[in-house]
Amino acid sequence: MVVSHLNRTVTSLNELFEHHAHFAGLSDISISEDIPVEGDISVPVGSQNADNDFSTLDEPVKDTILRDLRAVGQKFVHVMYPKKSSALLRDWDLWGPLLLCVTLALMLQGGSADSEEDGRPQFAEVFVIIWFGSVIITLNSKLLGGTISFFQSLCVLGYCILPLTVAMIVCRIVLLGGSGVVSFAVRLIVVTASFSWSTFASTAFLADSQPTNRKALVVYPVFLFYFVIGWMILTFSPSH
Amino acid sequence: MASPDDLKFQEFEEAEDLLSSNPGASTLSISSSNPAAAAAPSGEVRLDLSDDEENQQESSELLGGEKKTGGFWTFEYYQSFFNVDTVQVLDRIKGSVMPLPGRNFIKHHIRSNPDLYGPFWICVTLVFSLAISGNLSTFLSEMGNPEYHYRPQFHRVSIAAVTVFLYAWLVPLGVWGFLTWRQSVERQINGYTFLETVCVYGYSLFIYIPTSVLWTIPFNWLQWLLIVVAMVISGSVLVITFWPAVRDDTKLTAFATVAVIVALHALLAVGCKLYFFHTAEDTRSPHPGQHITPASNHTTALKT
């Protein structure tokens, strides 16, 4: 069947050359119909390998976990050194924000016995503020005409809590040494620095997706969000 | 190709024919002489722009009414309430702290583009500034007390949020409902839409943000002075806005409405001040053992 197709092609090619004989020099070229054109087209339909490149079902569990951990770690690095890269936006995931949020909420607990009169934020309050706050800021930026998608924005806002979590760890270490004025001053400086770092890092990722005359309207809620989280970290006092 | 004769202005007779057949149509008269004559004398040119009702309705919608894009279940509907730029928001905030007697906030600043960005984020900022400043003022007022152990008092955020958001949404709902009812009863035309009312109330709360920050200074007379100043500014914004809407009503209703608006606003301010901010009477006594004064008993009773 292939041969007959080729024969028909040869015939039509010859007709083509005859009809357009005014192309000088080309009229000599014609493919003779006597010579059969033969060939062999074979498609390798044979047995495939059981594990293709795209199937991750058979890899060891360690590989799966490490791949996700590596992705999360890479994004942490991107947050700590915010350059204009689109890695955070392109492959968003919510593992990092969840990890950071749970760590921060747990560290703000302090494990006190008389937690009712202490008035410090409960685990649920911290969780709700972080996640609800991120959702509201994302909705705000989308309603103002932003081009970033919902989960990308959640991802960026969640990952940029990393400096504040680091500040929380530092504050707890400082508080081990006493809670006087000096420790308060140190904590104030650390929290202020990390809060501005967080705001700057998230603005570097989010500001590009907004129309230029509304950038400040989008940046202000982000500033407020990290300010409140910074306040919660700064006012953490250990129970005694 | 067209002959020079064809380039004559030939629509003249056509317009006259149209106008004579439909004398009620809206016409645009370019000449400066008598525009009201039905038949066109030879000195005037009339262009018949529209001869049906649809065009007139369309133009009035574009000029004065609200553009409703889509139903309330679409995203674009809510996007139309965030159609403001940074400059516009700042301009509206400036208008809310500097009330001038002639400038109705709604007519001058909002101009049929009410937004929800300003009211929402001003309320959120007010909630956190009340909670944080209240916490700071408690800390400052109890600083001399060696038995005092600092607490973040984070539950105040929830209480402040409930209070502020209820005020910012229920009171405009009530005011709008009342004005609409009076409008239908008294047949006035000066009404405001619900969103414009929410907008005015939201922006009028802005003055309380710096006021709440300044309330941390632990002088009683200063705190009450600040309340009076904030009330005057914010209340006059509301009064200037709502007075034109009620002044055509009976005197009693008009004054009662304005008085209720001002009273509710004052109630919010005083209530926030008393709940969140301890006065300096607690620490005026020099003896650390006697710092349980009746005033602090009263405020602790309020706190629960």
Side-chain angles (χ1 to χ4, degrees), chain B residues 37-175:
Chain B
S42 59
E44 297 177 5
V45 173
R46 284 180 197 269
L47 298 172
D48 197 5
L49 284 183
S50 67
D51 49 8
D52 51 337
E53 289 298 305
E54 253 178 32
N55 287 353
Q56 292 163 2
Q57 201 178 5
E58 228 173 69
S59 57
S60 75
E61 263 180 8
L62 284 175
L63 285 175
E66 288 179 5
K67 300 191 292 285
K68 298 244 183 324
T69 48
F72 64 89
W73 56 89
T74 60
F75 192 67
E76 285 75 27
Y77 177 74
Y78 297 104
Q79 225 170 1
S80 63
F81 301 139
F82 280 76
N83 197 15
V84 278
D85 297 336
T86 312
V87 177
Q88 280 177 311
V89 171
L90 288 176
D91 180 52
R92 289 174 188 192
I93 290 179
K94 265 198 298 243
S96 78
V97 295
M98 292 188 300
L100 299 174
R103 291 204 189 159
N104 187 342
F105 186 77
I106 289 186
K107 292 281 180 291
H108 191 260
H109 289 274
I110 297 189
R111 270 191 218 153
S112 69
N113 184 21
D115 71 305
L116 283 181
Y117 177 89
F120 180 73
W121 286 108
I122 288 177
C123 288
V124 170
T125 312
L126 183 64
V127 163
F128 283 114
S129 83
L130 275 177
I132 291 177
S133 309
N135 195 233
L136 265 181
S137 93
T138 312
F139 173 70
L140 285 177
S141 71
E142 304 267 6
M143 216 161 44
N145 183 0
E147 295 169 1
Y148 176 69
H149 171 58
Y150 172 75
R151 300 185 199 124
Q153 286 170 321
F154 207 72
H155 58 277
R156 285 183 168 182
V157 172
S158 326
I159 297 172
V162 168
T163 312
V164 169
F165 274 96
L166 275 184
Y167 178 81
W169 285 88
L170 283 191
V171 173
L173 184 67
V175 168

Side-chain angles (χ1 to χ4, degrees), chain B residues 13 24 27 49 66 85 124 141 164 178 204 215 274 302-303:
Chain B
E13 293 110 8
T27 55
L49 284 183
E66 288 179 5
D85 297 336
V124 170
S141 71
V164 169
F178 179 74
S204 75
W215 271 339
L274 285 178
L302 268 181
K303 204 169 68 167

Side-chain angles (χ1 to χ4, degrees), chain B residues 187-198:
Chain B
R187 312 195 57 79
Q188 302 163 47
I189 43 177
N190 298 334
Y192 300 127
T193 68
F194 174 60
L195 278 174
E196 288 171 346
T197 322
V198 167

